[in-house]
């Protein structure tokens, strides 16, 4: 008789754990200082506010906070997201354009299922977010990697590819403090990308988990300010806490309905308790603005510690100053960072090799480092260990 695991589909058998997840396991390994995963420092979690919100939700509204909910998400949360979205894109966003998702990672999976058939083309930041490569890659697309520099996705390179005959259905980019490079998409490029979407008919997936963590960088309008051909992804993972698993997608309402149907089959709805907590915090006047300012100051200092320590201990690394978010990108010209990782872990420090972020096998001498997780003294020690193996 056929063994149980042999009944798995080829897709399931071929599914690979992401390098990120495997490396996150190292965080728990004895003595390894991790510059790898993008885990916010738990010291920043707003625990007191969450305790108050949880007591209110459980005592005050258990019939909704612990009950099944609507697949689209809590109306109050959709409205809060729509108001924020209206302000940022300077044109109206309605609550029925918003789908609450179980982290923005779920939105990526739903978008892949909604838009992509095997062989469809997808343009993506190169280097780009590993979780998007994983989620969209599950649909077996043809990748169109578009270079990222310090001004984000090179929209002129995208235009050349379009002119040469490429026809991506989706263009995926992280607009603010990109994962993995920290780049910010230049306002001119945002406008250009919107123009290209209107002309060539693709959909821009603008993913923005880090936009609230700014080190003095001015805010730029989202791509949706210039085009309706946008799906904007947001999350509370970096601003409140990732364990809540509350994110959202904002799309034309015809698309939101379809995404909601696909979500229904996956998890019925996002945790109602988590949504209650998020609604409570986001409804407090000024709460998010104050929190964003606190997080910006906290991580700016961390980023400076990591950068200074790298300048001292890994002088061969070329990197540009972090402008926000949780990541820094370093290049060690000529060094194979996958091979380096083994030795680094043996020496008690972890990072993510650059090639993990490429659909085209590039960035082999680069690495992504996070300043989010470790305290200043540990950041310095991690940089020292890294320096010793480089
Ligand atoms: N997009 C990007 C660019 C990310 O870096 C992450 C988290 N690392 C996500 C999406 C997913 O975040 P979550 O599912 O926690 O909202």
């Amino acid at each position: 008789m056929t063994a149980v695991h042999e009944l798995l589909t080829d897709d399931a058998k071929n599914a690979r754990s992401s390098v990120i997840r495997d490396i996150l396991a190292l965080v728990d390994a004895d003595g390894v200082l991790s510059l790898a995963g993008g885990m916010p420092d738990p010291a920043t979690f707003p625990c007191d506010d969450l305790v108050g919100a949880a007591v209110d939700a459980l005592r005050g509204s258990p019939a909704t906070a612990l009950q099944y909910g609507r697949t689209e998400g809590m109306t109050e949360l959709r409205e809060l997201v729509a108001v924020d979205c209206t302000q940022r894109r300077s044109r109206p966003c309605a609550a029925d354009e918003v789908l609450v998702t179980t982290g923005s990672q779920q939105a990526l999976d739903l978008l892949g299922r909604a838009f992509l058939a095997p062989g469809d083309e997808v343009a993506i930041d190169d280097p780009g977010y590993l979780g998007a490569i994983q989620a969209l890659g599950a649909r077996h697309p043809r990748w169109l990697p578009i270079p990222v520099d310090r001004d984000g996705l090179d929209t002129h390179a995208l235009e050349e590819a379009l002119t040469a005959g490429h026809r991506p259905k989706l263009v995926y980019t992280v607009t603010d403090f990109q994962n993995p490079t920290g780049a910010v998409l230049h306002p001119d490029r945002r406008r250009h990308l919107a123009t290209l979407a209107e002309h060539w008919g693709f959909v821009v997936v603008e993913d923005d988990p880090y936009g609230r963590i700014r080190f003095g960088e001015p805010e730029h309008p989202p791509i949706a300010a210039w085009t309706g051909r946008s799906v904007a992804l947001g999350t509370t993972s970096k601003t409140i806490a990732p364990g809540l698993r509350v994110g959202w997608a904002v799309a034309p309402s015809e698309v939101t309905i379809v995404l909601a149907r696909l979500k229904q089959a996956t998890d019925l709805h996002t945790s109602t308790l988590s949504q209650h907590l998020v609604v409570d915090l986001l409804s407090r006047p000024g709460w998010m603005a104050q929190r964003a300012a606190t997080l910006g100051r906290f991580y700016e200092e961390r980023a400076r510690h990591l950068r200074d320590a790298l300048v001292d201990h890994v002088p061969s690394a070329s990197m540009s100053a972090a402008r926000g978010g949780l990541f820094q990108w370093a290049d060690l010209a000529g060094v194979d960072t996958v091979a380096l990782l083994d030795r680094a872990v043996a020496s008690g420090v972890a990072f993510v090799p650059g090639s993990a972020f490429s659909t085209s096998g590039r960035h082999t001498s680069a690495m992504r480092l996070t300043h989010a997780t470790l305290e200043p003294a540990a950041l310095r020690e991690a940089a020292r260990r890294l320096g010793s193996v480089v």
Side-chain angles (χ1 to χ4, degrees):
M1 191 183 289
T2 316
V4 174
H5 70 270
E6 286 174 52
L7 297 174
L8 292 167
T9 65
D10 287 344
D11 265 4
K13 284 182 201 152
N14 292 331
R16 292 276 167 266
S17 167
S18 88
V19 185
I20 284 259
R21 289 273 134 207
D22 296 345
I23 293 172
L24 278 177
L26 299 175
V27 175
D28 295 329
D30 260 355
V32 175
L33 295 174
S34 180
L35 301 170
M39 303 219 279
D41 188 326
T44 67
F45 295 158
C47 295
D48 290 343
D49 290 345
L50 286 168
V51 167
V55 170
D56 285 352
L58 295 174
R59 294 250 162 79
S61 31
T64 49
L66 293 176
Q67 189 54 280
Y68 284 118
R70 296 185 59 198
T71 302
E72 293 80 359
M74 269 174 75
T75 306
E76 294 91 326
L77 181 53
R78 299 174 82 198
E79 282 168 354
L80 283 164
V81 172
V83 167
D84 182 58
C85 188
T86 300
Q87 276 164 6
R88 272 135 68 82
R89 72 188 197 186
S90 308
R91 63 182 178 83
C93 172
D96 70 352
E97 294 173 57
V98 179
L99 173 70
V100 176
T101 57
T102 301
S104 49
Q105 189 64 32
Q106 181 179 54
L108 288 168
D109 175 62
L110 299 175
L111 285 170
R113 291 200 274 142
F115 281 99
L116 300 178
D120 282 345
E121 237 181 339
V122 177
I124 184 164
D125 291 335
D126 186 24
Y129 171 50
L130 182 50
I133 297 176
Q134 206 183 14
L136 302 177
R139 301 353 291 176
H140 306 292
R142 274 179 303 137
W143 292 113
L144 178 59
I146 305 294
V148 167
D149 58 27
R150 83 182 291 285
D151 288 330
L153 181 107
D154 181 348
T155 53
H156 296 284
L158 173 64
E159 184 165 24
E160 273 171 33
L162 292 161
T163 311
H166 286 280
R167 291 292 173 270
K169 263 188 165 175
L170 302 180
V171 175
Y172 171 84
T173 188
V174 178
T175 50
D176 286 36
F177 320 117
Q178 193 238 11
N179 182 357
T181 65
V184 178
L185 190 60
H186 192 281
D188 293 346
R189 289 190 179 178
R190 292 174 193 237
R191 211 171 306 127
H192 187 207
L193 188 51
T195 311
L196 293 175
E198 293 286 331
H199 183 82
W200 296 96
F202 56 80
V203 176
V204 182
V205 179
E206 46 177 334
D207 190 4
D208 184 19
Y210 304 104
R212 300 272 189 189
I213 305 174
R214 318 184 78 81
F215 308 160
E217 177 80 12
E219 280 194 45
H220 307 303
I223 294 148
W226 294 287
T227 178
R229 307 187 69 86
S230 145
V231 179
L233 308 186
T235 181
T236 59
S237 287
K238 315 296 168 172
T239 51
I240 304 181
L244 295 177
R245 309 306 303 133
V246 175
W248 50 83
V250 183
S253 53
E254 302 83 351
V255 173
T256 306
I257 290 171
V258 173
L259 297 177
R261 286 184 201 137
L262 295 174
K263 177 176 163 69
Q264 199 164 52
T266 306
D267 65 355
L268 299 184
H269 63 80
T270 294
S271 158
T272 41
L273 180 56
S274 285
Q275 290 185 70
H276 270 74
L277 304 186
V278 169
V279 166
D280 184 319
L281 268 45
L282 298 189
S283 310
R284 300 181 190 183
W287 189 88
M288 183 48 87
Q290 197 184 353
R291 179 137 181 88
T294 305
L295 290 174
R297 278 193 303 273
F298 183 89
Y299 286 118
E300 183 173 16
E301 197 197 321
R302 286 284 175 92
R304 190 170 39 74
H305 278 290
L306 176 60
R307 188 179 155 74
D308 291 352
L310 288 168
V311 168
D312 289 348
H313 294 292
V314 198
S316 60
S318 69
M319 48 199 305
S320 51
R323 297 147 75 188
L326 303 188
F327 300 113
Q328 305 193 33
W329 184 248
D331 195 82
L332 298 171
V335 175
D336 173 348
T337 50
V338 171
L340 186 73
L341 180 60
D342 274 346
R343 281 184 285 132
V345 170
S347 300
V349 60
F351 58 84
V352 188
S355 56
F357 303 99
S358 184
T359 56
S360 58
R362 294 178 64 227
H363 314 297
T364 53
S365 63
M367 55 173 69
R368 190 196 70 181
L369 304 165
T370 183
H371 44 252
T373 318
L374 301 176
E375 291 178 4
L379 283 175
R380 181 152 281 279
E381 172 58 15
R384 195 195 61 73
R385 291 179 188 179
L386 193 57
S388 73
V389 291
V390 171

